[in-house]
């Protein structure tokens, strides 16, 4: 099997700054030409591209993709939202990001309308075991259970005999908004009980309650195990609202779906403690095409 080529930004360390651009496809007759133009700009490193439901419906490929379909319980906690293209712009320089975002929006405006622009950043980053780690705006370290070494690639990137799937990845992105007033007023103990980890040293607490986030999402506790590669970033806006752009990559949507089902109480009626101080504003299921010979490898559009 040919070595899998992928969008390099998926596995790289998080940048100091980022912008997420969310688009809906409005003019389908312009899609093929617009995607050709976009291919010239997306390098797979400083820009990671993910395709959503309406775009994938127009391409000829193995239908391993499916859209987010919430259960009635999940619909109340994380309603289905429409998005057909996401661009994750990754840079250290906010000015460079701004101009790059403007350029991309202008290039694809004939086919796509930009519905949301989210600015992201890092928070309290530090080196840990040779890797750059960060924190969520709630104060807790994020991505603790991420795969290490070669497992990162094996978790996030598909190996397949299908040239359009080989090197691709399935991407789930959720925009969570935190209740900063609750976080400011609540005790450290109250927050730690909801997450199941210490704010001081990230140690997993013994005897955590059933609502604790670490209990609801323990990747080894599922059958089969539900490992994912997390690349989440804090987000903020001009009103000083913010939260977490939860972002995970995997070889299927299975790891996210089973973890989120447990978080929303599908198994036992117990809802993850995270919902005490945060709510989901949007959820996107996306497919990230492989990156081969300097360009995105895309099937033909029908």
């Amino acid at each position: 099997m040919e070595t899998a080529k992928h969008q390099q930004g998926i596995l790289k360390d998080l940048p100091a700054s980022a912008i997420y651009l969310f688009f809906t496809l409005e003019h389908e007759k312009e899609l093929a030409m617009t995607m050709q133009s976009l291919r010239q700009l997306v390098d797979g490193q400083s820009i990671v591209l993910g395709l959503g439901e309406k775009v994938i419906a127009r391409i000829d490929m193995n239908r391993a993709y499916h859209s987010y379909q919430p259960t009635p319980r999940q619909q109340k906690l994380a309603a289905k939202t429409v998005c057909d293209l996401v661009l994750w712009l990754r840079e250290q320089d906010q000015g460079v990001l701004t101009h790059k975002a403007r350029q991309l929006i202008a290039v694809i405006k004939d086919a796509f309308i930009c519905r949301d622009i989210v600015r992201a950043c890092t928070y309290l980053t530090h080196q840990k075991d040779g890797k750059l780690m960060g924190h969520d705006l709630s104060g807790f370290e994020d991505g603790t259970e991420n795969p290490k070494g070669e497992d990162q690639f094996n978790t996030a990137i598909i190996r397949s005999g299908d040239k359009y799937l080989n090197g691709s990845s399935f991407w789930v992105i959720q925009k969570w908004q935190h209740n900063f007033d609750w976080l400011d007023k609540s005790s450290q103990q109250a927050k730690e009980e909801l997450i199941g980890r210490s704010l001081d040293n990230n140690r997993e607490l013994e005897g955590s309650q059933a609502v604790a986030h670490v209990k609801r999402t323990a990747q080894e506790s599922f059958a089969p195990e539900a490992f994912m590669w997390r690349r989440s970033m804090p987000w903020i806006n001009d009103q000083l609202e913010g939260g977490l752009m939860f972002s995970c990559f995997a070889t299927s949507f299975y790891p996210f779906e089973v973890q989120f089902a447990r978080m929303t109480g599908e198994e036992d009626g117990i809802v993850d403690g995270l919902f005490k101080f945060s709510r989901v504003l949007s959820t996107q299921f996306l497919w990230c095409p492989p990156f081969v010979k300097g360009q995105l490898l895309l099937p033909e559009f029908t």
Side-chain angles (χ1 to χ4, degrees):
M1 183 185 301
E2 181 184 355
T3 302
K5 306 294 185 182
H6 61 285
Q7 296 187 58
Q8 299 289 319
I10 293 172
L11 294 179
K12 286 186 176 296
D13 283 340
L14 292 173
S17 300
I19 289 180
Y20 297 87
L21 301 176
F22 295 84
F23 299 88
T24 55
L25 177 60
E26 299 297 320
H27 305 290
E28 294 194 23
K29 66 179 182 179
E30 304 293 339
L31 176 61
M33 186 67 70
T34 298
M35 291 304 297
Q36 287 300 322
S37 299
L38 191 56
R39 287 178 69 200
Q40 307 304 313
L41 297 174
V42 174
D43 62 3
Q45 298 191 53
S46 65
I47 305 172
V48 172
L49 173 145
L51 303 177
E53 186 172 359
K54 195 180 289 186
V55 176
I56 290 181
R58 291 283 309 277
I59 59 179
D60 183 19
M61 65 172 284
N62 184 328
R63 295 305 174 93
Y65 169 89
H66 63 270
S67 62
Y68 171 59
Q69 298 295 337
T71 66
R73 175 188 287 270
Q74 290 172 338
Q75 180 68 19
K76 295 178 181 179
L77 294 170
K80 182 177 174 64
T81 49
V82 177
C83 181
D84 303 310
L85 172 70
V86 175
L87 298 174
W88 177 24
L89 283 55
R90 306 158 36 85
E91 288 283 354
Q92 307 302 319
D93 190 304
Q94 289 259 347
V96 172
L97 277 174
T98 298
H99 286 304
K100 187 173 289 187
R102 293 176 59 251
Q103 179 188 23
L104 289 162
I105 292 171
V107 165
I108 66 175
K109 64 181 176 59
D110 289 344
F112 294 92
I113 293 178
C114 187
R115 298 296 186 184
D116 196 13
I117 301 172
V118 182
R119 289 193 174 273
C121 58
T122 53
Y123 177 52
L124 299 178
T125 55
H126 63 285
Q127 288 286 336
K128 182 178 181 181
D129 299 327
K131 295 294 290 182
L132 191 65
M133 300 295 295
H135 287 69
D136 173 45
L137 291 176
S138 63
F140 290 93
E141 185 175 291
D142 186 56
T144 301
E145 300 298 330
N146 254 342
K148 306 289 193 300
E150 291 185 4
D151 287 339
Q152 297 173 2
F153 185 97
N154 296 331
T155 298
I157 308 300
I158 297 170
R159 297 180 187 269
S160 172
D162 184 327
K163 69 176 184 178
Y164 294 115
L165 287 179
N166 191 44
S168 69
S169 184
F170 291 107
W171 183 18
V172 176
I173 186 165
Q174 278 189 320
K175 185 179 182 181
W176 289 75
Q177 181 176 351
H178 294 347
N179 183 338
F180 291 136
D181 287 340
W182 187 91
L183 288 166
D184 290 343
K185 295 174 183 176
S186 297
S187 67
Q188 180 170 328
Q189 180 181 349
K191 288 181 277 192
E192 290 178 340
E193 287 177 350
L194 295 178
I195 300 301
R197 287 188 180 276
S198 166
L199 272 166
D200 295 328
N201 56 21
N202 199 42
R203 176 179 54 85
E204 188 167 339
L205 305 178
E206 295 183 5
S208 296
Q209 301 178 18
V211 300
H213 183 61
V214 296
K215 286 284 188 71
R216 311 308 293 173
T217 58
Q219 298 173 106
E220 302 89 346
S221 66
F222 298 92
E225 295 178 334
F227 289 100
M228 60 177 68
W229 173 241
R230 291 182 56 170
R231 295 282 79 189
S232 306
M233 296 186 73
W235 67 270
I236 53 175
N237 65 19
D238 291 343
Q239 288 72 48
L240 299 184
E241 300 167 327
L244 186 71
M245 294 299 293
F246 172 84
S247 178
C248 72
F249 298 87
T251 57
S252 75
F253 293 122
Y254 164 79
F256 172 82
E257 289 179 312
V258 294
Q259 288 195 37
F260 197 58
R262 187 178 288 174
M263 287 177 64
T264 53
E266 294 291 334
E267 294 181 349
D268 53 14
I270 299 174
V271 176
D272 194 301
L274 190 58
F275 285 97
K276 177 72 175 180
F277 65 82
S278 195
R279 63 191 181 106
V280 179
L281 301 183
S282 63
T283 303
Q284 317 300 341
F285 276 21
L286 305 157
W287 176 64
C288 298
F291 200 83
V292 180
K293 295 181 179 179
Q295 282 195 328
L296 293 168
L297 181 62
L298 294 171
E300 295 294 325
F301 289 92
T302 59

